[in-house]
Amino acid sequence: MKKIINTILIASVLAIGTNTILAKTSANPDELLNKKNKKIQIVEPDKGKINQKKELKKLKSNARTKAKSSKEAEGMYETKFPAITSQISYADMNGEVTLTDCIKLAITHHPAIMAAISNAEIYKSRVGQAWSNYFPTFSAGASYSRNDMFMTMGGNFTRMIVQKHNMFYIPTMSANMLLFDFGKTKAMADSAKKSYESSRFDAETSIENVIYNVKVAYYNLVFAKIQRSVYEETVKDYELQLKQARAYYDIGKKAKIDVTYAEYNLGKAKLNLIKAKNTLELAAVELANSVGIPEMAEVVLKDGLNTKEYDVNFADLIRIAEESRPSLLAAKKRMDAAEIAIRATKRAYTPDISGFASYNYGGRKINSDYGYGLGIQMQYSNVNLMLLKKQVDEATAIYKKAVADYEQARQDVYLEVKSAYINLMNSHDSIAVSKLALQQAKEQQDLAFRRYQVGLGDAIEFKDSENTYLNAQLDYYSTILQYNINAAEIERVIGAPIKETDIDL
C-alpha cells in the first residue's frame, strides 16, 4: 500500500512540474513577439513656436546686464592699471588691433569676467538681506466664519431658547518691527559685507587672469608670425642653394648628390614652413578665445614684442603684492568675516525687542466694529545652551581655518613672486647671450653660403650653418617672447603694473 501511495505522489509532482515548464515555454513566444513588435520611441525635439517678443526682451536685458558688468570691470581694472584709452568695439573692428584693444575687448566680452562680477552682486545682495531684519514686516488677511451655537441644556428649557448662528467678517492688518537685538543683525551684516568685499577681490583676480591670458596669447601670435617669417627666409635660402647646386652639376663641378641633398633640405624646410603656418592659425584662434570673441580671426597685430628693459626690484615686488594682490586680499576679508561670525554666534543667546501693531475691522457685519493693538515685546528664541556652545566652537574652528588659509595664501604669493622674478631675470640675462649667438650664426651662414657659391664649400657645411642660423633666430625671438610673458606673469602675481625703462635689450 505504501508503495502505491508513493508512486501516486511522485507521478503528481512530475505532472505539476511538467505543466509549469510547458506554461513558461508557451509564454516565451508571446513575450518575444511583443518585444519584436514593440516600437522604439525616439524623443523628438520641441517644435514649439518661439516667442519672438519674449526672446527680443531677453536679449535686450542681457545686453544691459553685459554693458553694466563691462563698465564695472573697466573700473576695477583701471584702479591699479593704466586707463584703457582704446575705444574699439567688436562691431567697429577693421582687422587691426593693438594689445590694449585686445584687453578692452576681453574686459567687455569675456564670460569669466561677467560671471565673477555677477557673483559679487550675489554677495552684495546678502548685505541688504542681513539688514532687512530691522525693516517692518506686514501681513494682511480677511476671514469669514459662521459659528453654530453649542447647546448643552436639554428639556423644555432648551426649546425656550432660539438657536442662532454667529457670523463674523474680520479683515485684518498687522505689522511687526524689530527694534533691537543686541547686535545680532549688525554682526550678520558685517560678516556679509566682508564676504562681499572678498568676492570683489575674487572678481579682480578673474580680470587679471583674463588679461594675463590675453597678453600671453597676443605675444604667442606675434612670435608665431615671426617664426613663419624665419621659415620663409630659410626656404628662400635653400632654394638658392638648390639653384646653385644644379648649376654646378650642369657644368660638372658638383656631384649629383649635392642636388639631391639640396632638394631634401628644401623639402624639409617647406614642411617646417607648413607647420609654422598651422601654428600661426592656432595662435590666432587662441587669441580670439582668450579675448572672449571666438569669431575674431584674421586680425593684424599692431604691437610687437617689447624689447625694453623692465625696472623691477624683488623687495618692492613683495611689498606691492601684499598691498595689491587680489587673491591675498580676498583671503584677508574671508578671515575677517569668519572672526565676525564668532561674534554673531555668541550673541544668539540675547533676546529680541520688537514692536507690533494690528488693526481689525468687522464683526457680525462687515462694518459693525473695529479693534487695534499696539505693543512692545521682548522675546527669547528657543535657546539650547548645548547647541549654542557647539555653534560657537564651530565658528571658532572656521576662523582658525581662515587664519591658516590666509597664511597659506601669503606664502603662496611670496613663492609666486619669487619664481616670477627669477624667471624674468633669467630671460633678461639670456637675451644678450642669444643675441650674440644670433650675430655669430648669421656671420657663419653668410660665409658658408659665399664659400658654396665660389665652389669652396659643400652642401653639408651650408646645411649646418643654415640650421645653426635658423635655431639661433628662433632661440633669440623665443627668449624675447619669454621675457614678455614673464613680465606679464609678474604683473599678475603682484596685482599691479611694472614700469619699462628706455634701455634696449
Side-chain angles (χ1 to χ4, degrees):
M1 188 65 181
K2 284 184 178 180
K3 290 182 180 180
I4 296 172
I5 294 172
N6 290 336
T7 303
I8 294 172
L9 290 174
I10 292 171
S12 301
V13 170
L14 291 176
I16 293 171
T18 304
N19 292 336
T20 305
I21 293 171
L22 290 174
K24 289 183 179 179
T25 306
S26 61
N28 286 337
D30 294 336
E31 292 178 1
L32 294 174
L33 185 60
N34 291 335
K35 290 182 180 179
K36 186 176 179 180
N37 294 334
K38 187 177 181 180
K39 294 182 180 179
I40 299 175
Q41 299 295 330
I42 300 176
V43 179
E44 297 182 356
D46 187 9
K47 297 181 180 180
K49 187 177 180 180
I50 298 175
N51 190 331
Q52 299 291 343
K53 186 176 180 180
K54 185 177 180 180
E55 291 297 322
L56 182 61
K57 184 178 179 180
K58 187 187 298 182
L59 290 175
K60 289 181 178 179
S61 176
N62 292 339
R64 287 193 299 269
T65 303
K66 185 176 181 180
K68 182 181 178 182
S69 300
S70 299
K71 187 175 180 180
E72 190 167 356
E74 287 183 25
M76 287 184 181
Y77 179 79
E78 292 174 358
T79 54
K80 294 182 293 186
F81 290 83
I84 302 176
T85 57
S86 172
Q87 299 297 324
I88 192 171
S89 63
Y90 178 62
D92 300 332
M93 283 182 58
N94 56 1
E96 295 183 350
V97 292
T98 64
L99 179 58
T100 305
D101 295 334
C102 291
I103 291 174
K104 170 69 178 294
L105 290 171
I107 288 178
T108 55
H109 288 81
H110 205 284
I113 295 177
M114 305 297 115
I117 292 177
S118 298
N119 184 63
E121 290 296 320
I122 294 173
Y123 284 94
K124 183 179 180 180
S125 66
R126 292 178 182 176
V127 179
Q129 292 177 32
W131 282 117
S132 67
N133 288 339
Y134 278 122
F135 281 73
T137 57
F138 296 95
S139 61
S143 64
Y144 167 79
S145 63
R146 174 173 174 147
N147 303 322
D148 199 357
M149 295 180 64
F150 182 66
M151 308 298 295
T152 60
M153 295 175 291
N156 297 329
F157 185 75
T158 302
R159 289 190 290 270
M160 296 172 58
I161 301 175
V162 180
Q163 188 173 357
K164 294 183 179 180
H165 296 282
N166 294 332
M167 292 178 291
F168 297 95
Y169 305 87
I170 310 176
T172 304
M173 294 183 62
S174 63
N176 289 275
M177 182 174 179
L178 178 65
L179 301 178
F180 188 62
D181 61 356
F182 296 91
K184 285 186 288 188
T185 295
K186 184 179 184 303
M188 289 189 294
D190 290 344
S191 179
K193 183 180 179 182
K194 295 297 181 182
S195 298
Y196 164 62
E197 293 172 351
S198 174
S199 67
R200 291 278 295 182
F201 286 124
D202 289 337
E204 288 187 17
T205 299
S206 296
I207 293 173
E208 292 180 4
N209 287 337
V210 168
I211 300 308
Y212 169 75
N213 292 333
V214 169
K215 289 182 178 180
V216 171
Y218 191 94
Y219 293 143
N220 280 329
L221 182 55
V222 173
F223 176 77
K225 288 192 174 184
I226 295 173
Q227 183 177 243
R228 183 190 62 180
S229 300
V230 170
Y231 280 114
E232 287 174 348
E233 292 296 325
T234 303
V235 169
K236 291 179 181 179
D237 291 341
Y238 279 123
E239 286 176 345
L240 288 175
Q241 190 225 0
L242 177 61
K243 185 177 180 181
Q244 189 70 49
R246 285 174 175 170
Y248 280 139
Y249 173 72
D250 291 340
I251 62 177
K253 194 173 182 179
K254 294 288 184 181
K256 177 67 174 177
I257 191 172
D258 275 25
V259 176
T260 305
Y261 197 58
E263 290 174 344
Y264 168 77
N265 292 336
L266 178 59
K268 190 173 182 180
K270 287 182 177 179
L271 179 61
N272 290 333
L273 178 59
I274 293 173
K275 293 180 180 178
K277 290 180 179 178
N278 292 336
T279 301
L280 178 61
E281 293 181 4
L282 290 175
V285 173
E286 290 175 357
L287 176 61
N289 181 264
S290 66
V291 169
I293 309 177
E295 298 82 8
M296 187 179 75
E298 304 297 332
V299 293
V300 177
L301 307 184
K302 294 182 180 180
D303 295 334
L305 296 175
N306 175 56
T307 56
K308 298 291 184 180
E309 184 179 2
Y310 288 101
D311 183 18
V312 292
N313 178 272
F314 178 68
D316 293 337
L317 293 178
I318 288 294
R319 178 182 55 80
I320 294 172
E322 291 178 350
E323 296 174 354
S324 303
R325 178 70 182 269
S327 61
L328 185 61
L329 298 177
K332 177 68 167 57
K333 293 297 182 181
R334 285 192 288 269
M335 182 178 66
D336 294 341
E339 184 179 11
I340 295 173
I342 299 176
R343 187 177 69 198
T345 306
K346 288 181 177 179
R347 292 180 179 177
Y349 69 89
T350 58
D352 294 339
I353 298 176
S354 59
F356 62 90
S358 63
Y359 182 80
N360 303 326
Y361 187 79
R364 292 182 181 275
K365 295 183 179 179
I366 200 166
N367 58 352
S368 63
D369 200 358
Y370 70 92
Y372 65 89
L374 296 171
I376 297 177
Q377 65 179 1
M378 183 174 70
Q379 181 180 6
Y380 272 97
S381 300
N382 296 326
V383 178
N384 186 325
L385 295 179
M386 183 64 179
L387 177 61
L388 177 61
K389 181 182 181 304
K390 294 304 178 182
Q391 288 175 340
V392 172
D393 292 344
E394 179 185 2
T396 304
I398 292 174
Y399 170 67
K400 292 178 180 179
K401 180 181 180 299
V403 172
D405 290 342
Y406 172 73
E407 179 60 24
Q408 183 65 53
R410 192 182 67 81
Q411 294 181 14
D412 291 343
V413 167
Y414 183 90
L415 175 62
E416 291 178 3
V417 174
K418 187 69 173 179
S419 300
Y421 177 77
I422 292 174
N423 291 334
L424 182 67
M425 292 297 100
N426 286 339
S427 58
H428 172 270
D429 297 338
S430 301
I431 290 175
V433 178
S434 61
K435 188 175 183 180
L436 179 60
L438 176 61
Q439 294 172 353
Q440 294 172 344
K442 177 60 177 174
E443 293 176 2
Q444 181 182 354
Q445 190 258 0
D446 290 340
L447 290 173
F449 185 69
R450 292 193 187 101
R451 283 171 55 82
Y452 192 83
Q453 280 184 320
V454 298
L456 298 177
D458 56 19
I460 296 177
E461 179 186 9
F462 175 81
K463 176 180 178 294
D464 291 341
S465 64
E466 187 67 32
N467 286 340
T468 301
Y469 178 55
L470 169 66
N471 293 330
Q473 290 183 88
L474 295 179
D475 288 343
Y476 172 72
Y477 290 117
S478 177
T479 305
I480 295 290
L481 167 66
Q482 196 60 47
Y483 184 70
N484 284 264
I485 291 177
N486 290 337
E489 174 69 8
I490 282 187
E491 290 185 340
R492 186 188 71 83
V493 297
I494 68 174
I498 57 177
K499 295 181 180 180
E500 300 176 4
T501 64
D502 296 330
I503 302 175
D504 290 320
L505 296 172

